[in-house]
Amino acid sequence: MKILTFDIGGTNIKYAICNEKFVLSDRHTVPTEAQKGGQHIIKKIISIIDGYDHIDRVAISTAGQVDSENGIVVYSTDNIPYYTGMMVKKIIENKTGIPTYVENDVNAFANGEAKFGAAKGESDFLCLTYGTGIGGALFLNNKLYKGMSSSAGEFGHMITHGGGKQCSCGGEGCYECYASTKSLIESVNKANSTELNAFQIFEKENFQKPEIRSVIDKWIDEIIIGLINLIYIFNPPLIVIGGGIMNEDYVIDLIDRKIYNLLMENFRKVKIVRSQLGSDSPLLGAASAAYNM
């Protein structure tokens, strides 16, 4: 079987061919151009599909809350305008004739880690990804828990600072306003004379500046606040965290050094680990679900 699998993020769309052994090949990345809206994104996806021959399935992992049974984006923040209500599965199948599966990106990420990565063999775990926002997923009793309206796991919109910063969701003080990669970049660039991206922040000449290190440490404290809340609510055995920023060893190491001293003793058995598959997780997770349609 030949599956064309996509991961639609706020910045880039990644896509690849996945075979029946779940090996990815022919990888590509193109800009999402999210500001142009959901319709533009789906037209771009269809254009990519049209460039391939003999595709058996299309698998899509996407930002936004997704009704995967019907392949509809039930809600999206203004990070992707005009995406809410988009009938992605129906549009793509009508245009291409190819059976299509659509899933929320972090649910797909969790599915990938459960089948092929850091959570393989685990029946219960949480996933969080840190990027433009913060995504979440719950894997309970060997399956994704999606909630009443397919929207469970919106960990990024927990209120960690009542009356705090305005969030793209319309709320105030959401977790992702303080603990996302985007929030780190914004805070560092307020404290630093030169504008830096996420990777530049951790380059030696920048990382060693006291004013930048202080911002990073405060940002990691914000990550920990959210993780502690989730640990106390769910008492999970495992939390898998992802996003490009989590490849920085300093981030993972400081979370590990600090969080266990802040937890009540009977919650300290939780393991917090980095994704094994990285950006392949949502691609493989969506492809695996599409394979089993």
Side-chain angles (χ1 to χ4, degrees), residues 145-209:
Y145 176 77
K146 298 188 180 183
M148 180 183 68
S149 57
S150 301
S151 302
E154 282 291 346
F155 301 149
H157 298 292
M158 295 185 295
I159 306 300
T160 56
H161 294 264
K165 296 177 184 177
Q166 187 73 37
C167 183
S168 62
C169 74
E172 294 179 342
C174 293
Y175 182 41
E176 70 178 40
C177 293
Y178 299 87
S180 64
T181 304
K182 179 182 177 182
S183 70
L184 171 66
I185 294 167
E186 289 173 349
S187 297
V188 166
N189 288 333
K190 283 180 183 176
N192 192 54
S193 57
T194 305
E195 195 165 296
L196 303 172
N197 63 35
F199 301 105
Q200 290 168 334
I201 288 168
F202 288 90
E203 290 175 352
K204 188 174 181 180
E205 64 271 23
N206 297 315
F207 182 68
Q208 290 182 339
K209 292 180 182 178

